[in-house]
Amino acid sequence: MSITSPLPVLHGDQDTELRGDGEALTLRRPDEELRIPFAAIARVRAEKRRVAVELTAPAGAAPTEYRVEDVSAAAAVIFADAVNAALPARAAGDEAVDGATLVVTRSLRVAVDETELPDDDATPAAYIRGGFGAAALVALLAALVWPVGEDPSRAIATLLVGMPGVAIATYAAPGIPMVWRRWYLPRHGVTVAGRHVYRHGTTTNAYVATDGVTRYVRGSNGGRSIQVAYDPRNPERAVVRRPEWVRDEVRPLTFFLVVAALFLGGACLLALPAFQG
């Protein structure tokens, strides 16, 4: 027996969703999707703002149960009554099957290899290594200024001016790929609606790419509805669209990069006379 009237879609806590299509229920969680055929369901119970889907079980066995919390109480009653009325009739002598064996689970988790990062990203360790490399070059420059120019004070000044430039550049460098993505993805990527979800103890943003997989991206949009732009070739690379991104990200990044350039340029100007004599 199928459901002729539309079933309400139940939205619960932790970004859980329960819906029916006339032959089965679909329970969608952030990391997985379960298809529960009516043949596997013993009954659906509406318990105020909670819905429990109880599966069939052999005699003496504890039935599997799926619960969705924090739903609309009115929608829960309508949902439970409609599903219970549509469940297939079972003869009194028929032995119940284990409904859990009929449930089909599809994982929505994305297996991310930590060693295979997007081509415009680098790990924090990579930036730190780059910073140490730049600091070593400044130190080498200062070390050459001392014997070549026979001016220890110029060498020390080169070191003192160059090192802050290295530190500021290392601090600002991770912002470069992020600013690039803020500009590129909204123009050349795919934009979809996102939603705030509570995951792993913090609030983040969930979005679903064309492959049907739920992914997550950090960021805020000043209380507005969330839109996420992602790269269709690599849906892991995504940003929350923000109208204030130029003010909040480009300007501070530009400031830090200019200051770093001034320090590093000053160190080079201090060192240059030592090699011209």
Side-chain angles (χ1 to χ4, degrees):
M1 182 176 179
S2 62
I3 299 174
T4 56
S5 59
L7 269 179
V9 178
L10 301 182
H11 296 280
D13 64 347
Q14 302 293 316
D15 198 36
T16 303
E17 179 183 285
L18 182 64
R19 64 171 67 233
D21 61 9
E23 297 179 353
L25 299 182
T26 300
L27 175 60
R28 189 180 181 98
R29 296 166 174 164
D31 296 327
E32 64 179 0
E33 183 179 87
L34 287 75
R35 182 171 174 80
I36 311 168
F38 283 175
I41 301 173
R43 60 174 175 162
V44 177
R45 304 192 310 273
E47 303 168 343
K48 296 183 178 180
R49 299 197 63 192
R50 178 175 63 189
V51 167
V53 180
E54 182 181 320
L55 304 187
T56 57
T64 301
E65 191 171 278
Y66 300 112
R67 295 183 179 183
V68 181
E69 307 281 349
D70 199 27
V71 301
S72 164
V77 172
I78 297 172
F79 188 94
D81 289 346
V83 174
N84 287 330
L87 293 179
R90 298 181 177 90
D94 291 347
E95 183 178 355
V97 300
D98 185 358
T101 62
L102 304 178
V103 177
V104 177
T105 302
R106 182 169 72 98
S107 176
L108 300 179
R109 295 181 180 178
V110 182
V112 178
D113 186 348
E114 297 277 339
T115 63
E116 295 182 6
L117 295 172
D119 54 14
D120 62 347
D121 284 339
T123 63
Y127 290 110
I128 293 174
R129 288 195 298 269
F132 277 121
L137 290 176
V138 171
L140 177 62
L141 179 63
L144 291 174
V145 167
W146 192 318
V148 173
E150 298 181 352
D151 190 348
S153 61
R154 184 177 294 276
I156 294 172
T158 299
L159 192 66
L160 293 179
V161 173
M163 287 304 180
V166 171
I168 296 171
T170 304
Y171 172 79
I176 297 174
M178 175 55 72
V179 166
W180 167 253
R181 287 195 295 271
R182 289 282 188 206
W183 177 87
Y184 180 83
L185 291 180
R187 290 165 175 78
H188 304 283
V190 178
T191 298
V192 295
R195 58 192 184 279
H196 294 297
V197 295
Y198 189 75
R199 184 169 183 261
H200 300 329
T202 186
T203 300
T204 185
N205 306 294
Y207 65 101
V208 181
T210 53
D211 56 7
V213 175
T214 299
R215 294 176 171 85
Y216 304 91
V217 60
R218 289 177 294 179
S220 64
N221 197 20
R224 303 177 184 86
S225 59
I226 293 294
Q227 288 187 328
V228 176
Y230 68 88
D231 187 340
R233 297 166 300 179
N234 183 2
E236 285 290 325
R237 187 184 299 131
V239 296
V240 173
R241 296 191 63 156
R242 297 178 62 246
E244 302 89 355
W245 71 278
V246 173
R247 182 194 69 193
D248 294 345
E249 296 177 9
V250 174
R251 292 178 184 175
L253 177 64
T254 302
F255 171 79
F256 283 116
L257 291 178
V258 168
V259 172
L262 290 175
F263 273 102
L264 294 173
C268 292
L269 290 176
L270 281 169
L272 187 60
F275 300 95
Q276 292 178 333

